Amino acid sequence: MRRLEIIVSRLIWFIPTLFGLVFVAFFISNVIPTDPARIIAGENATEVQVQALRAEMGLDQPLYVQFGRYLSGLATGDMGKSLYTQREISQDLLRRLPATLELTMAAMVIAVGLGVPLGVISAVKRNSMVDQVLRLLSVSGLAIASFWLAMELQMYFSTKLGWTPLNGRVSGWGPEPITGFYIIDSILNRDWESLWDSLHHLLLPSITLALPAAATLVRFTRAGVLEVINSNFVLYERAMGIPMPLIIWKYVLRNALISTVTQIGLIFGALFAGAVVVEAVFDWPGLGTYAVQSILQSDTKAILGFSVIVGVVFIGVNLLVDITHTFIDPRTLK
């Protein structure tokens, strides 16, 4: 019952949080000194034509009226049209969303697969040479700029060794579209050639995105394991002669990972939003590339749509983390 109350409470808070996000994103997008009507009308349009277009688009209305119209459109999934392409922004974003989600989830798998085990090893081998090396690597991973790492990986593995593609999501047309996720679509179509090609293209961008996240997880997992490993119940179990690997696996890891799960949720949101740079370097056809193109074209409506979709994913992931916490940490039910 208590768990249900917490879940309902989180769901209720989702709505005002989302409203606040849209509010801030909308008004920031209107601070940008760009006139959408003039962009659409073109350089040769007269002032009369521009003013007529502004009236037609509702840009002559007060800002709160424009915000109300945007909200009502958003409620029906309408984010307006791109100022540059005149295509529906929601359709463009939905078409590109699977590419970014696929990249983010692949990066997340790599980050968790590296970060959590290395964090445990670093804690168990505390102050040893292994611990020192892992701590140095984790600090270095946090300090590395994504665009520099991406270009270095491209130069070595793609240009010099020729092991991986330089950019793009797939070599040809990709698998027959079903979900938009190339790996899933390849499996559903039993198109093993496309599956290999998709994984091949996914490797470098996902590693680039994953390494800083893995470094963060190493630090948090190490701190969590150290906190638990020095607790009284672990000291008692060690005194009882229970093997240390069994204590770590059965008791320490479960308690230590409670805080790590929270970080995993935050990291997923950060990876999703931070994929902009990696997608731009690898020419990955996802939301990040769309955002960069929109910024270069001063397409304020498209930038606003990108900000809203990233915010929704970020808030949604944190909502899932909060709900997951109620299952793995009984203290949240008190």
Side-chain angles (χ1 to χ4, degrees):
M1 190 63 185
R2 174 61 182 153
R3 178 176 293 122
L4 183 62
E5 290 177 2
I6 294 174
I7 293 174
V8 171
S9 170
R10 297 291 190 274
L11 288 172
I12 291 174
W13 271 107
F14 181 83
I15 296 172
T17 305
L18 182 60
F19 177 83
L21 163 75
V22 177
F23 178 84
V24 172
F26 180 84
F27 282 93
I28 287 178
S29 70
N30 278 276
V31 171
I32 300 173
T34 302
D35 187 350
R38 186 166 291 282
I39 292 176
I40 294 177
E43 296 179 356
N44 298 324
T46 64
E47 189 59 29
V48 175
Q49 290 172 320
V50 172
Q51 291 302 326
L53 189 56
R54 294 189 85 249
E56 183 183 340
M57 295 173 63
L59 297 176
D60 58 341
Q61 299 294 317
L63 208 53
Y64 66 87
V65 175
Q66 296 180 44
F67 181 62
R69 287 178 177 173
Y70 186 77
L71 273 184
S72 62
L74 203 59
T76 60
D78 180 14
M79 292 182 168
K81 289 185 178 180
S82 163
L83 301 178
Y84 189 78
T85 64
Q86 287 298 296
R87 289 198 301 265
E88 293 289 339
I89 294 171
S90 55
Q91 292 179 9
D92 280 347
L93 293 175
L94 286 176
R95 192 175 66 253
R96 289 170 173 267
L97 181 61
T100 300
L101 282 176
E102 190 169 70
L103 173 61
T104 306
M105 287 189 286
M108 202 69 228
V109 169
I110 295 172
V112 173
L114 283 176
V116 173
L118 292 179
V120 173
I121 293 171
S122 182
V124 173
K125 303 289 185 182
R126 184 183 184 186
N127 294 330
S128 67
M129 181 62 73
V130 174
D131 181 32
Q132 299 293 343
V133 170
L134 289 175
R135 291 170 68 184
L136 178 64
L137 289 176
S138 65
V139 172
S140 302
L142 290 172
I144 291 176
S146 294
F147 70 90
W148 179 83
L149 178 61
M151 289 190 290
E152 289 295 319
L153 291 176
Q154 279 180 322
M155 286 178 60
Y156 191 74
F157 290 102
S158 301
T159 306
K160 186 176 181 180
L161 298 177
W163 288 356
T164 59
L166 187 63
N167 53 30
R169 196 180 175 196
V170 71
S171 296
W173 294 100
E176 187 71 24
I178 298 176
T179 64
F181 294 85
Y182 280 6
I183 293 176
I184 296 175
D185 290 351
S186 300
I187 295 173
L188 293 177
N189 289 311
R190 299 187 178 184
D191 187 350
W192 310 125
E193 188 177 341
S194 291
L195 176 62
W196 172 249
D197 191 39
S198 302
L199 290 172
H200 213 193
H201 281 78
L202 188 60
L203 188 60
L204 287 189
S206 57
I207 288 175
T208 305
L209 201 57
L211 287 184
T216 304
L217 283 175
V218 168
R219 295 171 65 85
F220 273 98
T221 305
R222 180 181 184 276
V225 171
L226 281 178
E227 185 179 343
V228 179
I229 212 169
N230 292 320
S231 59
N232 290 332
F233 81 90
V234 172
L235 296 175
Y236 174 76
E237 286 165 351
R238 293 178 66 179
M240 294 291 291
I242 299 175
M244 197 58 190
L246 180 61
I247 296 174
I248 294 291
W249 178 254
K250 194 171 182 180
Y251 302 105
V252 175
L253 200 54
R254 181 179 177 183
N255 291 283
L257 287 183
I258 291 174
S259 59
T260 305
V261 168
T262 306
Q263 290 303 318
I264 288 174
L266 296 173
I267 287 172
F268 184 90
L271 287 179
F272 187 81
V276 173
V277 175
V278 175
E279 288 189 7
V281 175
F282 286 97
D283 194 22
W284 190 262
L287 294 177
T289 309
Y290 182 79
V292 172
Q293 292 171 350
S294 302
I295 292 169
L296 293 175
Q297 295 161 353
S298 300
D299 194 340
T300 52
K301 284 195 172 183
I303 297 170
L304 175 60
F306 168 79
S307 304
V308 170
I309 200 79
V310 168
V312 168
V313 171
F314 196 91
I315 296 171
V317 168
N318 281 281
L319 175 65
L320 287 176
V321 170
D322 284 347
I323 294 174
T324 305
H325 241 164
T326 64
F327 288 94
I328 64 175
D329 187 1
R331 291 173 297 182
T332 59
L333 302 177
K334 293 180 181 178

